[in-house]
Amino acid sequence: MTTTLTAEAPASGAGASATRPGDALAGTGALVRFILRRDRIKLPAWLLGMALLLSMFLNGVAELTKTEEQRQDLLRIMEGATGAIFGPGYGRDDITTERYVVGVYGLFFFVLAALMSLLLVARHTRAEEQNGRAELVRSAVVGRNAHLTAALVVAAGANVALALLLGGVMAANGYGGADGLLFGASVGAVGLVFAGVTALTVQVTEYSRAATAMAGTVLGAAWAVRAAGDMIEDYGSPLSWFSPLAWSNQTRPYVDGRWWPLLLSLGLAAVTATAGYALSGRRDVGAGLVAARAGRTDAAPWLRSPLTAAFRLQRTGLIGWTVALTASGFLFGGLGEQVADPANMSEDRIDMFGGSVDTLLDGYLGVITMFTAVLAGIMVVLGVQSARTEETKGRAEPVLATATSRWAWFGGYLTVLALGLVAMLLIVGLATGIAAAVAESDGSYVWDLTAAHLAHAPGILVMLGLAALLFGVLPRAIGVTWAVLGYSLFVGFFGEIMDLPGWARNLSPVEHAGQPPLDDVSWPATVTLLLIAAALAAAGLVAFRRRDLETT
């Protein structure tokens, strides 16, 4: 029997309402609640993590601003090319704890807010389309612009909450609440700008990784333009004003606070978001404005093993992180002579850099080496999280349904990340050593700094092992590794100054390598760290083999 379905005429006014502009936003409220439900752990972790980081910076810098000698020491960090890397250095004529934190460490919060926002928008727009969920959701009563609007609403709310939270931290630590709120607003404004930028980039490409990479490139360019502008002229040149990071710097909290530069940030956020809406209407769901390049019908012969497949998936991240860290290492290595000049340097700063005027440069390079190693640890954790994404998105299951074992699949990721880490530190160490050797006319720094970077590899491999163990035992808790990274960074910068007890400093895996090239590498500690890393990774592989796969 054949049944014919005949569409009924819509009720009075229904046909007209289907074309009303408001229908494009239908279901936005439900999607906002859905995003908040999905990010109920991730989003608070971002916000509370940044608030905790600000509190740690305030407590650490407070120890460095007690005397005039210490403040003069910090003045050198805020001057010249070194200062321009972080910001224009407003208020350096009368340095206080709050001025130094917002003027130097403010850059870290700008970058973190931008990353939080761009990842959030890409995750809940382009990633939803890429995985096919957006098309399924839109089959219900959901407007075309609802996904993008919901993501931008949550991003805006997150940045407003961040502004209030950072302002509250400043006030709770005894610093002016109004200026603290201005600093928080300047950080939130950067987040809003890059939420808008990502709303634009997710329309261009079919893939969320490419969209976030493009937004990240804009962030890097914004920093480069701002830094170059601040190097051209003291307190910033006209070139600086072409960067949204400079607009937040220009608010000048705790100096002569100004709110009006944030109007530029809000304007750019609105323009980019509007452009994102306009371009969204010019493409199909799941497609990008730039068509994806057709791939090969068959995989290349070298991709026929779990190890090489893992390398292919991690290749872009490895190259990107290596290029970024190499550039920063070359820059900081060349600035060593300026930063480590013993003139007018306080005793605390000398203690931080090794405790002797004769070893200030080696001490400074040791701190930079530790900082680079911790940043390399970010790449390692992201790599393990990408393996988790392959699992939850269902792409690992068909691979494991073949003759590929779980040991080979996850072990391939760990091997690529471990070897990639060592290669990255080798390249970055060479670049930093070459820059220092040219600046100091001493070729020995090439080998010394290369060896110093490699000496930190075992500590970062311990973090890789921890992430692997969590992946196998409690995969939803991989984010705990971020806390270890943050703690290691804090101990490296402020452990000596704050006179932390030995047991507290030893909780950081990178602390056991010492401070090469200032210190000799402790080979027993290196071997111990490698054994711990191997044991953690092995335990993670065993645990992964025994648990069920999780897919969403």
Side-chain angles (χ1 to χ4, degrees):
M1 184 176 70
T2 302
T3 302
T4 302
L5 297 179
T6 303
E8 297 182 0
S12 176
S17 65
T19 61
R20 290 182 308 193
D23 290 344
L25 301 178
T28 299
L31 287 176
V32 168
R33 293 191 293 273
F34 182 53
I35 291 174
L36 293 175
R37 174 71 175 78
R38 290 179 60 191
D39 285 3
R40 65 189 183 279
I41 297 177
K42 187 172 296 184
L43 199 54
W46 271 101
L47 299 176
L48 294 177
M50 281 187 271
L52 177 61
L53 182 63
L54 178 58
S55 182
M56 292 167 61
F57 279 146
L58 289 171
N59 291 329
V61 174
E63 297 294 323
L64 297 174
T65 55
K66 291 182 177 180
T67 67
E68 181 60 28
E69 182 185 14
Q70 291 175 317
R71 289 189 288 271
Q72 288 300 314
D73 181 22
L74 295 182
L75 173 62
R76 299 184 58 80
I77 304 299
M78 300 180 72
E79 288 181 327
T82 306
I85 292 172
F86 297 98
Y90 294 112
R92 62 182 181 226
D93 54 328
D94 184 18
I95 294 179
T96 60
T97 297
E98 61 272 29
R99 286 182 176 180
Y100 187 82
V101 168
V102 302
V104 174
Y105 294 120
L107 174 65
F108 291 94
F109 296 95
F110 295 161
V111 172
L112 289 173
L115 292 176
M116 176 188 72
S117 300
L118 68 87
L119 290 173
L120 188 153
V121 173
R123 183 168 62 249
H124 294 291
T125 54
R126 175 51 63 183
E128 293 295 285
E129 294 186 44
Q130 183 179 334
N131 295 323
R133 283 193 293 262
E135 188 172 9
L136 179 62
V137 170
R138 289 187 185 185
S139 66
V141 187
V142 174
R144 182 178 184 88
N145 294 331
H147 269 104
L148 180 57
T149 303
L152 290 175
V153 167
V154 174
N159 282 288
V160 170
L162 177 62
L164 295 174
L165 200 56
L166 295 182
V169 170
M170 298 297 294
N173 280 273
Y175 306 108
D179 282 296
L181 183 60
L182 176 57
F183 171 64
S186 69
V187 174
V190 174
L192 290 177
V193 166
F194 283 93
V197 168
T198 311
L200 188 58
T201 62
V202 295
Q203 314 305 328
V204 177
T205 176
E206 294 184 14
Y207 304 104
S208 61
R209 284 188 181 182
T212 55
M214 285 189 285
T217 301
V218 175
L219 175 60
W223 172 82
V225 169
R226 200 271 313 146
D230 290 349
M231 288 181 186
I232 292 173
E233 187 176 330
D234 209 16
Y235 297 115
S237 67
L239 177 62
S240 304
W241 287 89
F242 286 90
S243 169
L245 300 184
W247 303 340
S248 289
N249 283 136
Q250 290 292 335
T251 57
R252 306 179 187 177
Y254 297 104
V255 181
D256 56 347
R258 307 186 299 179
W259 286 86
W260 65 263
L262 298 183
L263 296 176
L264 298 173
S265 299
L266 296 177
L268 180 58
V271 168
T272 51
T274 301
Y277 280 113
L279 295 178
S280 176
R282 300 177 63 87
R283 64 175 180 85
D284 293 332
V285 176
L289 293 172
V290 177
R293 187 175 57 183
R296 296 175 51 166
T297 56
D298 297 316
W302 66 273
L303 284 174
R304 293 175 182 174
S305 73
L307 180 63
T308 54
F311 169 74
R312 177 62 182 84
L313 292 173
Q314 297 296 318
R315 181 179 64 183
T316 302
L318 288 171
I319 294 174
W321 277 98
T322 301
V323 170
L325 291 181
T326 300
S328 64
F330 189 85
L331 177 63
F332 284 113
L335 292 173
E337 184 177 5
Q338 176 186 339
V339 177
D341 189 341
N344 299 321
M345 185 167 284
S346 69
E347 293 182 3
D348 283 335
R349 198 70 178 181
I350 293 174
D351 288 341
M352 180 179 179
F353 290 161
S356 171
V357 173
D358 297 331
T359 59
L360 282 178
L361 180 58
D362 286 350
Y364 159 76
L365 293 172
V367 171
I368 293 302
T369 300
M370 178 277 303
F371 180 64
T372 301
V374 174
L375 291 181
I378 296 176
M379 180 276 296
V380 165
V381 178
L382 289 175
V384 177
Q385 288 185 326
S386 69
R388 171 65 176 166
T389 300
E390 292 295 300
E391 177 190 0
T392 58
K393 301 307 179 187
R395 294 190 288 267
E397 190 170 11
V399 175
L400 295 173
T402 66
T404 302
S405 68
R406 294 195 180 196
W407 281 81
W409 181 78
F410 188 43
Y413 273 88
L414 297 181
T415 302
V416 167
L417 291 171
L419 295 178
L421 171 70
V422 174
M424 179 189 302
L425 292 177
L426 174 64
I427 295 171
V428 176
L430 281 171
T432 308
I434 291 172
V438 171
E440 298 296 320
S441 300
D442 185 352
S444 65
Y445 278 110
V446 177
W447 162 251
D448 290 344
L449 285 173
T450 301
H453 280 77
L454 291 175
H456 283 294
I460 305 303
L461 289 175
V462 169
M463 296 186 192
L464 173 61
L466 175 61
L469 178 62
L470 291 172
F471 178 86
V473 177
L474 194 62
R476 295 178 183 271
I478 294 176
V480 172
T481 317
W482 293 112
V484 178
L485 281 169
Y487 182 76
S488 299
L489 191 64
F490 176 76
V491 169
F493 274 121
F494 300 114
E496 185 70 32
I497 298 170
M498 299 185 70
D499 197 23
L500 292 178
W503 66 266
R505 299 182 64 174
N506 288 335
L507 292 176
S508 168
V510 297
E511 189 71 15
H512 297 277
Q515 199 174 349
L518 177 65
D519 301 328
D520 292 332
V521 177
S522 173
W523 293 109
T526 298
V527 173
T528 302
L529 288 172
L530 288 174
L531 292 175
I532 292 173
L536 291 173
L541 285 167
V542 171
F544 175 56
R545 186 181 181 185
R546 294 179 177 178
R547 71 170 174 84
D548 292 333
L549 292 178
E550 297 180 5
T551 58
T552 55

